[in-house]
Amino acid sequence: MGRNSGRKKSGFKSKGKTSTDLEQLKFKLAQFFDNNFGEAFAEKQLIKKLVLRDAATKKLLSPSLQALVKEGRISCNPRNLYSSAADPDFIIGEVDFVNARFAFVIPNDHAKKEDDIMVKEADLKSALDGDKVRVMILPKRGRGNRREGKVLEILERSRDEFVGRIEISPRFAFVVPDFKKMHHDIFVKKSDLEGAQHNQKVVVKLTDWSEGDKNPTGKIIHVLGKAGDHEVEIHSIMAEFGLPFDYPEEIEAEAETISDSIPEAEIKKEKTLET
């Protein structure tokens, strides 16, 4: 038995410039450009993106690109950057998370009776459940009938505040949201803790989610109290649904002046009505 060199294969044959090799690379390139609509790439970038390792396959890149340009499937600008020439469909809809791996986008235009669009987690562009987004419909892959898409733009956030339990380590902190359809912990800088302590329930407001970051960043705006405490958990539920759980001091003071007992005059009035 020969030894395994341990070198990762690129998925293409390295012997000879055959038509099969060319068609394989063209297919892979076309799929890549369709999935990255609106972006342009140089040949060196494509070598890295497609993980083309052996010299024979790299030599096929330029003729494969030229063939796709000739077929009208991609275009090349004066700077020798290649991009998709497709004319895809777009929809605007609302994100409905199914689990951490994918979500559906429900089209806003119900009159067209369009099917929901499945979007994988990697193609959500940091969209969250309930967000209004613009989606590009991807070419169908395989034999399935389910349409897939890619979020191009987040038009409107459905919410930017979340209730959760904060975990604090020596170097950083993060909030684990209570909301089951929020699948990302929220990082919090030590300077934005607002006095929150480890394992307390808090309300955190999103402040940033930069391109390429796996998790959003936020700041604490309310400290509710120790996780597990009955009153704290009640306040957590109220905060999650946007219900007020604390009131201005003047309202609290006025509420204290209201008697718990029923005045005698009211009791007599009730008795009179009964008779």
Side-chain angles (χ1 to χ4, degrees):
M1 294 178 64
R3 292 185 179 180
N4 187 342
S5 65
R7 182 176 296 175
K8 186 176 180 181
K9 296 181 180 179
S10 66
F12 297 97
K13 297 177 181 179
S14 60
K15 295 181 179 180
K17 185 177 178 181
T18 67
S19 59
T20 302
D21 295 327
L22 190 69
E23 289 304 315
Q24 283 183 341
L25 186 52
K26 280 176 58 181
F27 176 81
K28 193 175 183 73
L29 282 165
Q31 190 175 56
F32 174 81
F33 282 114
D34 284 340
N35 291 342
N36 292 275
F37 179 83
E39 299 182 57
F41 302 90
E43 287 194 23
K44 287 185 178 180
Q45 291 175 300
L46 292 169
I47 289 172
K48 290 183 179 180
K49 293 286 186 181
L50 275 67
V51 196
L52 306 181
R53 297 184 183 278
D54 61 88
T57 304
K58 291 178 183 178
K59 286 182 179 180
L60 291 176
L61 180 58
S62 185
S64 296
L65 289 168
Q66 294 306 315
L68 289 172
V69 170
K70 189 174 181 180
E71 293 170 11
R73 300 173 70 181
I74 65 173
S75 60
C76 181
N77 67 20
R79 296 171 57 196
N80 289 322
L81 298 178
Y82 296 89
S83 59
S84 174
D87 186 18
D89 291 330
F90 299 91
I91 67 154
I92 292 175
E94 182 179 307
V95 176
D96 179 19
F97 256 101
V98 176
N99 55 43
R101 294 181 293 109
F102 69 94
F104 286 110
V105 173
I106 304 169
N108 281 357
D109 192 349
H110 301 293
K112 291 185 178 180
K113 296 182 179 180
E114 295 179 304
D115 292 333
D116 298 345
I117 309 300
M118 188 176 81
V119 183
K120 295 179 180 177
E121 193 274 336
D123 293 328
L124 279 166
K125 200 180 178 68
S126 79
L128 301 174
D129 187 76
D131 286 355
K132 184 179 180 181
V133 295
R134 182 168 176 260
V135 174
M136 178 186 72
I137 309 301
L138 297 175
K140 285 189 176 181
R141 305 168 184 172
R143 299 179 180 178
N145 293 321
R146 172 67 67 183
R147 294 194 303 169
E148 293 188 30
K150 178 179 181 179
V151 172
L152 296 182
E153 184 181 4
I154 299 170
L155 302 175
E156 184 180 336
R157 286 282 191 202
S158 64
R159 59 188 294 184
D160 61 1
E161 295 181 9
F162 294 88
V163 177
R165 179 176 55 83
I166 191 164
E167 296 189 8
I168 302 175
S169 70
R171 292 192 301 169
F172 60 87
F174 60 90
V175 174
V176 182
D178 288 352
F179 185 46
K180 299 302 182 185
K181 289 192 173 186
M182 176 58 170
H183 302 290
H184 301 271
D185 295 341
I186 302 166
F187 283 99
V188 180
K189 297 177 182 178
K190 287 294 190 74
S191 58
D192 291 328
L193 286 175
E194 293 297 317
Q197 302 296 314
H198 180 71
N199 205 37
Q200 285 188 321
K201 295 298 284 288
V202 297
V203 180
V204 60
K205 184 180 181 67
L206 300 187
T207 57
D208 182 53
W209 199 340
S210 301
E211 188 78 25
D213 286 351
K214 187 176 180 180
N215 296 78
T217 300
K219 65 178 181 180
I220 305 303
I221 58 173
H222 289 295
V223 179
L224 302 175
K226 185 178 179 181
D229 181 85
H230 178 70
E231 186 175 355
V232 170
E233 295 300 333
I234 293 296
H235 286 172
S236 296
I237 294 171
M238 295 174 71
E240 179 65 32
F241 287 95
L243 301 173
F245 54 88
D246 56 3
Y247 298 91
E249 291 183 4
E250 58 270 21
I251 294 178
E252 294 277 5
E254 186 174 346
E256 289 294 329
T257 64
I258 300 174
S259 175
D260 294 334
S261 60
I262 302 175
E264 187 65 29
E266 288 295 325
I267 295 175
K268 289 181 179 179
K269 189 185 295 184
E270 289 293 327
K271 288 182 177 179
T272 302
L273 290 173
E274 289 176 1
T275 58

